[in-house]
Amino acid sequence: WTMLRREEEMELREREQRKSWTWLDDSLWSSPSSSPEPSTDREFAFLKSMDPDAATLPAYTPLDANSVSTAQPGSFEPSPFLRSLQNGVRLVKLHNALVQKSKRNFGAILTFHTDTAKPYRCAENLRFWIKAAELRWEVVLKVDVMGVVNGTSFEVWEGFEKAIWKWAVKVREELTPELK
């Protein structure tokens, strides 16, 4: 009986948590047919609600091509949000958390680098995430991994951001019916 009570309490906590997930309510967001671009607000809310370290996830701010430095051609400083995803660790952890939420919980990334002092480790983490996205969520992402790791080009960051949103949309669309 104790085990059943604990399970019931856990289900109650999960239902309470889901009530706070605004991304789950389609009526709060514009329909996908009205806009070719995904709602970054909705996808960010989704990622934030699923992030195991959500408290440390920086707020999302859109990329601004006008902020490219004219003093140093090719130099670009991305938002803290993109910087927090640059080494791939948070993306791998997010992927694994999303896999655990799914009823089809396979395809977790079991091995990845937590010490990302070396650029090749960051690049491998990003490659692990990209391949896992393809195998588990069936979404093909095109990312200049070394460009993201070295991260100075606006175009590279723009491509990375588009890949993140493409992945988030696909995962959210798969998980939404399961979580409702």
Side-chain angles (χ1 to χ4, degrees):
W1 296 112
T2 304
M3 187 169 57
L4 288 173
R5 188 172 18 86
R6 283 187 197 146
E7 188 173 323
E8 189 175 292
E9 289 170 358
M10 186 174 72
E11 287 176 5
L12 181 63
R13 280 194 305 271
E14 284 180 8
R15 277 195 297 268
E16 289 300 316
Q17 182 185 39
R18 286 184 190 142
K19 287 180 184 176
S20 70
W21 291 348
T22 58
W23 60 266
L24 205 51
D25 186 359
D26 290 333
S27 68
L28 298 175
W29 308 96
S30 63
S31 66
S33 60
S34 67
S35 172
E37 293 296 315
S39 167
T40 54
D41 293 335
R42 184 177 193 177
E43 305 319 324
F44 179 74
F46 168 66
L47 294 179
K48 183 132 177 114
S49 70
M50 296 295 171
D51 191 338
D53 302 320
T56 63
L57 183 65
Y60 169 71
T61 52
L63 286 174
D64 182 12
N66 296 327
S67 65
V68 176
S69 173
T70 54
Q72 295 178 333
S75 177
F76 179 77
E77 186 62 31
S79 67
F81 171 73
L82 288 176
R83 279 278 181 218
S84 73
L85 303 174
Q86 181 180 22
N87 66 13
V89 173
R90 175 168 257 142
L91 286 169
V92 168
K93 289 180 178 180
L94 255 168
H95 169 83
N96 288 341
L98 292 163
V99 166
Q100 289 302 311
K101 287 281 186 194
S102 174
K103 289 185 180 178
R104 300 177 353 159
N105 58 356
F106 67 91
I109 303 169
L110 304 176
T111 306
F112 61 97
H113 301 284
T114 54
D115 176 10
T116 56
K118 304 281 185 187
Y120 79 89
R121 294 178 185 156
C122 300
E124 282 189 347
N125 284 346
L126 290 170
R127 287 185 189 106
F128 293 154
W129 170 70
I130 291 166
K131 190 62 178 177
E134 183 178 340
L135 295 174
R136 171 57 186 90
W137 307 108
E138 299 174 1
V139 59
V140 178
L141 305 175
K142 301 283 186 214
V143 178
D144 177 358
V145 172
M146 287 311 294
V148 171
V149 171
N150 296 323
T152 55
S153 165
F154 174 79
E155 292 77 20
V156 167
W157 286 111
E158 184 178 43
F160 183 48
E161 183 177 302
K162 284 180 181 177
I164 291 166
W165 298 136
K166 181 179 179 181
W167 170 74
V169 166
K170 179 69 173 166
V171 176
R172 179 186 52 76
E173 287 175 347
E174 181 176 318
L175 291 182
T176 297
E178 293 177 7
L179 295 172
K180 278 191 173 180

